[in-house]
Amino acid sequence: GTGKTTLCRALLENVERKTFTALLLNPFLPEEDLLRAILQDLGVVSRGEERPGTRRPSKQELVNTLHDFLLSLVPLGARAVLIIDEAQNLPLPILEQIRILSNFETDKEKLLQIFLVGQLNLVPLLRSPELRQIDQRVSIRYQLKPLTEDEVGAYVSHRLAIANGARSVIFSPAALRVVHDYSGGNPRLINMLCDRALLGGYTAQTTRIDEDLVVTAAEGLDLKPLVRSQRSIFNRFLGWPRP
C-alpha cells in the first residue's frame, strides 16, 4: 500500500523514447510464459501471433530471441528495462531465469536493466543461500517509507485538487493529523480513510472534513491508530478540547 505499482507506472510514463520497457504484474508465470510476456511487452512479438495448434517456441528459442533483440538495440543507442512487480512471490525457477537474463551484456554494458519491486519480505528472500548470486547482482536498493504528517497533508491536498476542481472541500489540520495517526502514512490506508470521511461529509452536507468525521470513518473501517502525534497525546492527557 505504499505505492510500489503506482511508482512503476509513473516511471514507465516518463521514460525516454529510446527505452523499451516491460512490466510484469503476475509473478506466478511459468518460465516460458515469463519470457513470452517480456517479448510481448517489449514489442518483439505480438500477443496474437501464436495460433492454436502451432508449435510453441521452446524456452531456449525465446531466450535467444530476447538476446538478439537486446543486441539490436546497442547500435541504436537504445536500452531495455524490465520491471517485475510483487517480486517477493517469484518462485525459485523464475528467479533463476531472471539471473540468467541479468547475464546478458556486452563488453561495456548490461543489455537489460531489471527492477525487482516487492514487499519487505523480498529482502530476506534474496539473502537466502539459494539466491546469493542474484542478491550479489543487485546494485541499487531502495525502500519506500510511509508519508510523514506534513506529506500526508500535501498528498490529501493534491488528491483533492485533482478530483475536486473548483469545489471547496477541505480537511481541517486536526483531521489531517488524525488521518496520519490512523493510516501510519500508508497511501492505501489514506485513500480508504479519506474516501470514507468524504462520504461522511456528504451525508452531513458539509464541505469541511473535521477530526470527528475522520475518527468515525476510521471506526467504520475498523482501523486503530498506528501513530499518535505528540500534540494529540498531550492535549488528551491535559483534557484539552480537540483543536
Side-chain angles (χ1 to χ4, degrees), residues 214-230:
V214 176
V215 171
T216 300
E219 291 172 349
L221 294 169
D222 199 26
L223 295 178
K224 306 298 181 185
L226 299 177
V227 176
R228 282 194 182 276
S229 64
Q230 293 300 315

Side-chain angles (χ1 to χ4, degrees), residues 22-243:
L23 172 61
L24 298 184
L25 302 174
N26 180 8
F28 299 106
L29 293 173
E31 294 173 64
E32 289 82 358
D33 289 343
L34 171 81
L35 292 166
R36 191 174 293 105
I38 294 172
L39 289 168
Q40 289 172 346
D41 264 19
L42 292 174
V44 181
V45 299
S46 65
R47 299 186 182 276
E49 189 170 305
E50 295 180 3
R51 297 179 180 178
T54 60
R55 186 185 73 85
R56 305 189 77 183
S58 67
K59 182 175 76 171
Q60 189 57 50
E61 289 173 328
L62 293 169
V63 170
N64 292 341
T65 300
L66 177 58
H67 186 252
D68 291 344
F69 170 74
L70 296 175
L71 282 175
S72 73
L73 298 180
V74 176
L76 302 175
R79 67 183 66 192
V81 174
L82 169 62
I83 302 176
I84 303 177
D85 201 4
E86 300 298 340
Q88 77 280 353
N89 294 322
L90 289 170
L92 289 178
I94 296 297
L95 284 166
E96 175 60 20
Q97 183 63 64
I98 292 170
R99 184 190 69 79
I100 294 172
L101 297 182
S102 72
N103 288 333
F104 288 173
E105 58 187 8
T106 65
D107 293 336
K108 297 181 179 179
E109 60 185 331
K110 291 284 187 181
L111 294 176
L112 182 63
Q113 301 294 322
I114 302 174
F115 289 77
L116 296 179
V117 183
Q119 299 179 21
L120 289 178
N121 53 336
L122 175 62
V123 176
L125 175 64
L126 291 177
R127 289 177 179 169
S128 62
E130 300 88 348
L131 300 176
R132 183 176 62 253
Q133 293 187 44
I134 295 180
D135 190 50
Q136 292 170 348
R137 285 169 167 77
V138 179
S139 58
I140 299 175
R141 303 167 193 263
Y142 188 82
Q143 179 181 338
L144 286 176
K145 296 182 180 180
L147 302 181
T148 65
E149 186 173 319
D150 289 341
E151 290 169 339
V152 168
Y155 176 74
V156 172
S157 296
H158 172 73
R159 292 293 300 263
L160 285 174
I162 296 299
N164 219 17
R167 299 166 67 182
S168 57
V169 175
I170 63 169
F171 279 69
S172 71
L176 290 173
R177 285 196 295 271
V178 176
V179 170
H180 177 257
D181 291 351
Y182 277 87
S183 68
N186 181 295
R188 179 181 295 158
L189 293 180
I190 295 171
N191 293 343
M192 292 171 52
L193 186 53
C194 289
D195 185 66
R196 184 65 68 90
L198 287 168
L199 181 60
Y202 174 78
T203 302
Q205 296 186 338
T206 178
T207 59
R208 187 177 189 275
I209 308 302
D210 60 16
E211 181 181 8
D212 289 335
L213 283 171
V214 176
V215 171
T216 300
E219 291 172 349
L221 294 169
D222 199 26
L223 295 178
K224 306 298 181 185
L226 299 177
V227 176
R228 282 194 182 276
S229 64
Q230 293 300 315
R231 175 172 175 173
S232 176
I233 294 173
F234 188 62
N235 286 352
R236 289 184 178 120
F237 175 77
L238 295 178
W240 289 1
R242 292 176 177 175

